[in-house]
Amino acid sequence: MAKVLIKKLDPAVELPAYKTEGASGMDLMALVKEPINLKPNSSCLVPTGLAVAFSSDFEIQIRPRSGLAAKNSISVLNTPGTIDSDYRGEIKVILFNHGKNDFLINNKDRIAQMILTPVIKMDLEETDDLPETIRGEGGFGSTGK
């Protein structure tokens, strides 16, 4: 298990926790003084009142909650959102309403989940030629439906 330091930016914030033993993510909750009315085809930035610190071998990914997506068409706009290891500001979630109805975000609503994920850094080597493959430059549906 990797250690993540977490700081409450407001005493009213509840710390995230795994809801089941098999859960890979922890739910993040909204920290809002007034409810936010998220209109269809609109986005908003929702504060969580949390900041974190962890090893540079990891990132935290912010992902949608499946229940919000299935029942209300609410998703994280920049899925997955990335919290870099050197970021010390408040975690905020960009929610998007893909639905046809307004969606009300209340204080302490579970709005997204965060997952700690390993990061493998790239070592780029510039070249004029890439190795050939069967697929070649085919993309965007070139391998079938």
Side-chain angles (χ1 to χ4, degrees), residues 7 10 12 16 24 43 45 49 55 63 94 100 107 115 123 132:
K7 179 180 178 181
D10 185 296
S24 60
S43 65
L45 194 59
S55 164
R63 300 182 186 172
I94 306 167
K100 296 177 181 169
N107 193 46
I115 290 90
D123 182 17
E132 293 294 322

Side-chain angles (χ1 to χ4, degrees), residues 12-39:
V13 172
E14 293 180 30
L15 292 180
Y18 293 107
K19 298 294 185 192
T20 66
E21 190 174 315
S24 60
M26 295 181 178
D27 289 339
L28 291 172
M29 291 182 274
L31 178 69
V32 294
K33 295 191 187 327
E34 300 288 327
I36 297 171
N37 186 26
L38 183 54
K39 298 277 188 194

